[in-house]
Amino acid sequence: MAKQKLPVIEGTAMWAKVFEPDTKFNPDGDYSINIQMPVADSVKMSEKLDALVQAKFDEAVKEDPRLKNQLTTRPSCQPVFDRDTGDDTGNVEFKFKLKAKIKKRDGTMFEQSPSVFDSKVKPMDKSTLIGNGSRVKVAFEPITYAMPATKQVGVSLRLKAVQVLDLVEYGTSSTSVFDEEDGYVAPSTTPAVQEEVAFDATDF
């Protein structure tokens, strides 16, 4: 299958739910992962995403000029604060999500999930969970929105694939850190791959 060009971001993984969907707020389930990084490292990506948001804002105002003073734009990432002190950590966080089930127009349900790869771009299975602090790349699809009900214009980051570069395995006190040229290699892989992703594709 041809590689799909998607924007890619690299950072520290937090609260990864990429093998089993979370059904706490959505009974159909959501896959998700948050990526944290220093503000300086986020500038290029956040500027691109914020430009998409601004274009959506301009489009909405063009269709209805009355919205110009009603709508507000939502930043593509949020600052991260220390849980204990409340101090700004100097990092920002991007949040990625993918619905596990989508209802088609004909009423049938379509199931989907993100592809997860190791550093050699080999598919990983559910036997290894991605813990907080893992170094990963995330390929995603930006979807802009304008919601009159909330008066907000923003961008949703639709999770498509994850590549694990350095693994901190969930549920253990130890970390697995490898040289960048070696990286993490999954102990077992699945034969089927939903899609190939070019993890060096950062332009969109």
Side-chain angles (χ1 to χ4, degrees):
M1 182 182 295
K3 290 185 177 180
Q4 182 180 358
K5 291 291 185 180
L6 294 168
V8 172
I9 193 169
E10 180 178 342
T12 301
M14 298 295 291
W15 316 116
K17 299 180 180 65
V18 296
F19 289 120
E20 292 290 342
D22 184 0
T23 58
K24 184 176 181 179
F25 300 107
N26 177 10
D28 289 331
D30 292 312
Y31 295 97
S32 62
I33 187 171
N34 296 352
I35 297 297
Q36 295 185 2
M37 65 183 66
V39 173
D41 295 343
S42 72
V43 173
K44 186 177 180 180
M45 181 60 73
S46 61
E47 285 182 347
K48 289 181 177 181
L49 293 173
D50 290 342
L52 293 180
V53 174
Q54 185 61 48
K56 187 67 174 179
F57 176 90
D58 294 341
E59 177 186 328
V61 171
K62 184 178 180 179
E63 293 177 356
D64 186 353
R66 294 172 301 177
L67 296 176
K68 183 176 182 179
N69 296 321
Q70 299 178 20
L71 295 176
T72 59
T73 56
R74 183 178 177 84
S76 56
C77 59
Q78 302 293 329
V80 178
F81 298 96
D82 187 280
R83 286 189 170 187
D84 297 323
T85 65
D87 295 334
D88 192 329
T89 64
N91 293 333
V92 295
E93 185 173 67
F94 294 86
K95 297 183 178 182
F96 305 85
K97 185 179 291 187
L98 179 70
K99 292 183 178 180
K101 296 181 180 180
I102 299 293
K103 190 174 184 179
K104 297 181 180 180
R105 292 183 179 179
D106 62 6
T108 60
M109 299 296 289
F110 169 75
E111 294 188 11
Q112 58 183 354
S113 61
S115 299
V116 185
F117 304 94
D118 65 16
S119 65
K120 306 303 182 185
V121 200
K122 295 180 180 179
M124 294 172 56
D125 61 21
K126 300 178 182 180
S127 64
T128 303
L129 299 183
I130 303 170
N132 292 347
S134 296
R135 192 74 181 174
V136 303
K137 287 184 176 181
V138 172
F140 66 98
E141 180 183 6
I143 306 294
T144 55
Y145 62 84
M147 299 182 64
T150 61
K151 308 299 184 187
Q152 285 192 334
V153 181
V155 59
S156 296
L157 309 181
R158 184 176 296 171
L159 175 62
K160 302 298 287 186
V162 177
Q163 183 183 27
V164 181
L165 303 179
D166 292 317
L167 178 71
V168 175
E169 195 166 351
Y170 178 81
T172 63
S173 59
S174 61
T175 62
S176 299
V177 181
F178 303 89
D179 293 335
E180 184 176 351
E181 64 270 19
D182 295 330
Y184 167 74
V185 177
S188 60
T189 60
T190 54
V193 181
Q194 294 179 2
E195 62 182 341
E196 293 185 15
V197 178
F199 278 97
D200 57 350
T202 57
D203 295 327
F204 63 98

